[in-house]
Amino acid sequence: MLRNLQTKAAKSPVGSIVLCLLLLSIVSLTLLYSSLHQGGELKDQAIFYKQIMWLAFAWICFIGFSFLNYRLWFDFAIIFYILNILLLIAVEFFGKSALGAQRWLDIGGFSFQPSEVSKITTIFILARLFSSPESKGLWRGVLVPFGLVILNVALIAKQPDLGTALILVFLFFALGFVSSLRKRYLVILLLVALIASPFAWNHLKSYQKKRLIVFLNPNVEPLGAGYTIIQSKIAIGSGRICGKGFLSGTQNQFNFLPERHTDFIFTVLAEEWGLLGSLFLLLIYFYIFNKIIDIVNYLKDPFARLISFGIAFLFFLHVFINIGMTLGILPVVGLPLLFLSYGGTHLIVSFILLGVFANIYRQ
């Protein structure tokens, strides 16, 4: 068995993941170019060039974090968590508003989303608490970590950013169930959360309620809240098997589809590259998930194992939820597509997490 583990370790997954990232970077810029291209010319060129800049910086972060010992995140997890909470509070008072949400902070001329950084700090703080031998009981093992996550969730939901808030809750339960905690505590807490979830309806914003209603029946508001979902389904279905070709998607090129360079960039791919292109993208994602989980299965350090699993689970959630909402089988919650959607903070956070995983493998 030891020889088999050594053989697996000799076949580094990092190189193959890097190749997948390079491919996804090319696909991302190609789709972004197409989504911004209308009437024979590139509209909003600043968005395209800004994404190239973010992508270059993300690669630098990936390389840098791959050389930082991952045990540092155990030592500084609490400090990073506190700093992130302070940033989320700062958003409430000094944040920049856009599209009806106040999620961004401007520092030195650059905007970023502290809610995206919460994904990193949540994985680190949960991995530290769940891997600690002292955190086995109900109080220190479950209630304290859950309280820290709920504080994050409350601040993020107020922005509002329901998608990221739900992601953090899912991370708590996923990491809890794969840790050495007593599962009955988590099952009871999960049941309480499910029972209490209907009472959250009255605390949702009006547009969030409309999204849930439209999820059940998009034709309720075909020119309002249901418009994006209807157009997304038309675009995906019109791509058929092989797609319409680069810059040939009618829903995209004739500006029928809103938010196609951010949360709905998958529809651009499906319309232009068809079912085959969509399956190829899913295979790339599956390959990355599989490589990470393969390493998780024989990591001896509980902290490293929980971080790696948290990274894989976070990536899976982003892919599953984003594609699910573009297909209309899940409500629209505003989550970007992993490594493809326009946006600097999410892209950099994803590359940083893969850099941390690369260092875990090297160690």
Side-chain angles (χ1 to χ4, degrees):
M1 182 178 292
L2 180 60
R3 182 175 299 177
N4 290 336
L5 294 180
Q6 290 173 340
T7 302
K8 285 185 178 181
K11 298 177 181 179
S12 171
V14 177
S16 54
I17 288 178
V18 168
L19 291 177
C20 289
L21 282 181
L22 284 171
L23 185 56
L24 288 173
S25 298
I26 296 171
V27 172
S28 173
L29 292 178
T30 302
L31 294 176
L32 182 61
Y33 182 91
S34 178
S35 66
L36 298 174
H37 193 277
Q38 293 176 17
E41 61 178 340
L42 181 64
K43 305 288 186 180
D44 297 321
Q45 296 185 22
I47 292 179
F48 183 74
Y49 295 127
K50 186 182 292 186
Q51 187 70 357
I52 294 177
M53 179 189 68
W54 285 124
L55 193 57
F57 184 68
W59 274 101
I60 294 173
C61 289
F62 170 76
I63 296 171
F65 276 80
S66 68
F67 285 98
L68 288 176
N69 192 320
Y70 75 91
R71 294 298 303 182
L72 289 172
W73 314 129
F74 183 93
D75 298 329
F76 292 101
I78 297 176
I79 295 175
F80 289 152
Y81 174 84
I82 294 173
L83 290 175
N84 184 234
I85 291 295
L86 293 176
L87 287 175
L88 291 173
I89 295 174
V91 171
E92 177 68 21
F93 296 98
F94 311 107
K96 184 177 71 172
S97 298
L99 299 175
Q102 187 170 317
R103 305 174 185 171
W104 295 266
L105 276 180
D106 274 334
I107 297 180
F110 290 96
S111 296
F112 73 101
Q113 287 183 259
S115 59
E116 289 290 338
V117 181
S118 293
K119 297 170 185 176
I120 298 179
T121 58
T122 298
I123 290 176
F124 287 169
I125 195 71
L126 289 178
R128 170 171 175 156
L129 293 175
F130 287 155
S131 64
S132 175
E134 294 82 14
S135 301
K136 300 300 180 184
L138 175 62
W139 174 251
R140 297 188 64 179
V142 178
L143 295 182
V144 170
F146 186 67
L148 294 177
V149 171
I150 289 301
L151 176 58
N152 243 322
V153 168
L155 292 171
I156 293 172
K158 201 173 185 303
Q159 296 180 357
D161 188 353
L162 183 60
T164 301
L166 290 174
I167 287 286
L168 301 188
V169 175
F170 293 152
L171 278 173
F172 169 80
F173 284 105
L175 290 176
F177 277 111
V178 299
S179 70
S180 58
L181 292 177
R182 293 180 179 177
K183 304 303 182 286
R184 67 172 181 267
Y185 294 146
L186 292 170
V187 171
I188 293 172
L189 189 59
L190 180 59
L191 290 175
V192 171
L194 291 175
I195 294 172
S197 58
F199 297 98
W201 175 262
N202 293 328
H203 298 283
L204 295 177
K205 301 290 184 180
S206 59
Y207 78 90
Q208 292 172 333
K209 293 179 180 178
K210 285 184 178 180
R211 285 180 175 179
L212 292 175
I213 294 172
V214 163
F215 164 65
L216 299 175
N217 184 9
N219 294 318
V220 171
E221 291 190 39
L223 298 179
Y227 178 80
T228 303
I229 293 298
I230 293 173
Q231 297 301 321
S232 176
K233 290 180 179 179
I234 293 173
I236 293 173
S238 64
R240 299 194 177 186
I241 302 298
C242 298
K244 295 181 177 179
F246 181 59
L247 301 181
S248 299
T250 53
Q251 298 298 111
N252 175 29
Q253 295 300 311
F254 292 131
N255 199 26
F256 288 121
L257 183 66
E259 309 300 330
R260 59 188 174 277
H261 66 295
T262 53
D263 298 342
F264 283 82
I265 199 165
F266 177 77
T267 59
V268 179
L269 181 145
E271 186 180 28
E272 294 187 348
W273 299 2
L275 177 63
L276 294 179
S278 302
L279 290 176
F280 180 68
L281 175 67
L282 292 177
L283 284 174
I284 296 175
Y285 284 140
F286 175 77
Y287 187 80
I288 295 175
F289 302 153
N290 187 59
K291 286 295 182 181
I292 297 176
I293 294 300
D294 188 45
I295 299 302
V296 170
N297 289 332
Y298 65 90
L299 284 173
K300 295 181 179 180
D301 182 358
F303 180 67
R305 185 169 62 251
L306 287 171
I307 285 183
S308 300
F309 178 81
I311 292 171
F313 187 70
L314 175 65
F315 287 175
F316 168 78
L317 284 178
H318 266 278
V319 173
F320 177 75
I321 295 176
N322 179 275
I323 295 179
M325 72 183 191
T326 61
L327 293 171
I329 60 175
L330 290 175
V332 176
V333 291
L335 283 178
L337 184 57
L338 186 67
F339 300 119
L340 293 189
S341 292
Y342 169 76
T345 314
H346 169 72
L347 186 70
I348 291 171
V349 164
S350 301
F351 271 78
I352 285 175
L353 287 173
L354 274 185
V356 173
F357 170 73
N359 182 263
I360 288 174
Y361 180 82
R362 292 180 60 206
Q363 295 295 333

